Amino acid sequence: MTLWNGSYPFYPGANACFPFDTTRAVIVTVFLSMLVIFIIILPGIRGRGRLFWFLRLLLGLSVGAVVLTVQFTRDWETGWVQANTSYKSFSHAQVNADIGLHIGLAGVNITLRGNPVNQINETINYNEHFPWNFGADYDRSYSEGLEKGLPSPILYVAEKFSTQSPCAVHRQYRIAGHYASLTLWLAFCTWLMSILLFSMSILLYGGHMLLLTATLIFFSLLFFFIARNTLKCPIQFGPVSLRTDYGESFWLTLATGLLCLLLGLGIIILNSMQPEKLKLIFSLDKSSEEEVWDKSCLPAEPSCFAQDVLMVPLGELCQVTVTQL
C-alpha cells in the first residue's frame, strides 16, 4: 500500500463527466408536440387535401427542426481512435481506451472511454467540452481542465485547439463556427417567412424564401468546409493517429439544404407552367369561390343590383317631352 492509495492528491476522486445536453431534447420535443397537435386536427380536413396538408406540415416542421437543432449539436466533425496511452501526468500507468473528438459550431468535445471501462482501479469514462464561441474563453476552460487534473489524452487533444498551439486552428474554427451559426439563424428566419407566405397563399414568394433558405444553409456548410480543410497538426497516440471526418450534423444540414432547394425550384416551376396543380397541392381551388359568386347573382334573388335594373320593362319607361325655348 502506498501513500494516497497509489493516486496523486491533486486529482479529484470523481470523474468530471460532461452533463447531458438537453437543448436538442427540448427542440425535438417542441416540434414533435406541434406535429402531434396538427395530427389531431388532421381528421377535420376533408377530401384529398388532407394528404397534401400533412405532407406540407411534415416537410415544414422537419426543415425548421433540423436548422434549429444543428446549431447546438457537437458532431459536425468527428473522429475516433483506439490506443494504448498514458492516463495521467507524472504516472507511468498505461490504459487501453477509445479517444473521440467531436467538433461543433460552438466548441469541441473530447471523449475518453476505457477498454474495459474499469482499469487501474478507476472508471475511465470522460466527455469534456471546451467552448470557443464568442463570449467564451477556450484557454480558460483548458486551464480549468489542467487544475482539475483531467486525463492526459484529453488535455493533449484540447491543447491542439488552444490559442497558444502551433497548429493555429483555433481562430479558423472559431470564426467559421460563428459565421456558420449566423447564417443558420438567418436560414431559420427565412424558413419562418416562407411558412407565413404559404399560409397567406402567396406561393411564388414562399418558393423564393425557400430558395433563400437553401442558399443560407449552403453558405453555412461552406464556412465550415473552409475551416476544416486548413492545415492541421497530427494528433498522434503512439503508432496511431486520430483522424476526423464530417459528422452527422454536416450531412443532415446538407440534405436539408438540398430539400429546400428542390422544394423552392419545384414551387417556382409549377407556378409558371402549371399553376392549377400548384393550387391543388396547396388546396387553393378557386372554382368553388367563383361558383358561390355566380350563385349570388341569379335572377331569382332580388338582392342583385344588375337583376333589379333589368326587371323594368322598356315599354313602361317614362316619356319625356322636350320643349324648345
Side-chain angles (χ1 to χ4, degrees):
M1 184 174 181
T2 59
L3 186 64
W4 307 109
N5 293 326
S7 63
Y8 293 92
F10 46 82
Y11 287 120
N15 288 341
C17 293
F18 186 76
F20 178 73
D21 185 13
T22 59
T23 306
R24 281 185 290 179
V26 171
I27 295 174
V28 172
T29 302
V30 170
F31 278 89
L32 284 179
S33 301
M34 296 173 61
L35 181 61
V36 170
I37 291 173
F38 285 117
I39 290 177
I40 295 175
I41 303 174
L42 188 62
I45 301 176
R46 299 179 180 179
R48 56 184 177 181
R50 180 185 303 173
L51 177 60
F52 292 130
W53 187 84
F54 179 73
L55 290 177
R56 296 198 310 267
L57 172 68
L58 185 61
L59 291 175
L61 291 179
S62 299
V63 171
V66 170
V67 173
L68 188 59
T69 303
V70 294
Q71 293 268 7
F72 309 100
T73 54
R74 297 167 182 174
D75 55 352
W76 280 69
E77 182 179 352
T78 59
W80 286 91
V81 68
Q82 183 177 358
N84 290 316
T85 179
S86 61
Y87 183 50
K88 291 182 178 180
S89 302
F90 309 108
S91 174
H92 298 288
Q94 297 279 322
V95 295
N96 184 273
D98 292 326
I99 305 166
L101 176 62
H102 315 278
I103 300 175
L105 300 182
V108 58
N109 266 55
I110 304 172
T111 304
L112 179 66
R113 186 181 306 145
N115 288 318
V117 176
N118 296 317
Q119 297 183 47
I120 59 173
N121 296 326
E122 287 194 30
T123 300
I124 304 174
N125 190 9
Y126 292 84
N127 186 15
E128 294 292 328
H129 179 65
F130 299 91
W132 58 46
N133 57 307
F134 286 98
D137 191 346
Y138 185 93
D139 291 338
R140 181 179 178 181
S141 300
Y142 176 71
S143 299
E144 291 176 352
L146 287 172
E147 294 175 0
K148 289 190 298 183
L150 292 178
S152 297
I154 294 180
L155 296 175
Y156 169 68
V157 177
E159 185 183 7
K160 297 290 184 178
F161 295 90
S162 64
T163 58
Q164 306 299 327
S165 174
C167 298
V169 296
H170 173 82
R171 182 174 179 271
Q172 296 165 352
Y173 270 103
R174 182 171 179 260
I175 294 177
H178 173 71
Y179 283 107
S181 178
L182 178 61
T183 52
L184 284 175
W185 279 117
L186 292 176
F188 184 74
C189 294
T190 55
W191 169 79
L192 288 176
M193 293 180 63
S194 68
I195 296 298
L196 179 62
L197 291 172
F198 288 141
S199 64
M200 298 172 60
S201 303
I202 309 177
L203 305 183
L204 180 60
Y205 291 103
H208 289 162
M209 282 295 105
L210 279 180
L211 287 182
L212 183 57
T213 302
T215 303
L216 291 171
I217 291 176
F218 291 147
F219 268 108
S220 68
L221 296 173
L222 179 62
F223 290 137
F224 192 80
F225 171 81
I226 293 174
R228 186 187 179 277
N229 284 271
T230 54
L231 295 177
K232 301 179 181 179
C233 291
I235 304 177
Q236 199 76 21
F237 292 94
V240 296
S241 60
L242 176 59
R243 301 183 183 275
T244 60
D245 201 353
Y246 293 114
E248 295 179 0
S249 294
F250 182 89
W251 297 115
L252 185 59
T253 306
L254 177 60
T256 305
L258 292 175
L259 177 62
C260 291
L261 179 63
L262 293 177
L263 290 176
L265 289 177
I267 290 173
I268 294 174
I269 294 174
L270 282 178
N271 184 78
S272 60
M273 299 182 62
Q274 295 180 341
E276 293 80 10
K277 290 186 177 181
L278 182 62
K279 294 175 182 177
L280 178 63
I281 294 175
F282 283 87
S283 303
L284 299 177
D285 190 5
K286 293 186 177 181
S287 60
S288 58
E289 299 178 2
E290 294 175 356
E291 183 180 356
V292 172
W293 173 258
D294 293 340
K295 288 181 179 180
S296 64
C297 289
L298 290 177
E301 298 182 5
S303 60
C304 184
F305 176 76
Q307 177 259 346
D308 291 341
V309 175
L310 295 177
M311 285 293 289
V312 181
L314 295 177
E316 297 181 4
L317 292 177
C318 297
Q319 295 182 358
V320 180
T321 303
V322 180
T323 305
Q324 185 176 1
L325 298 177

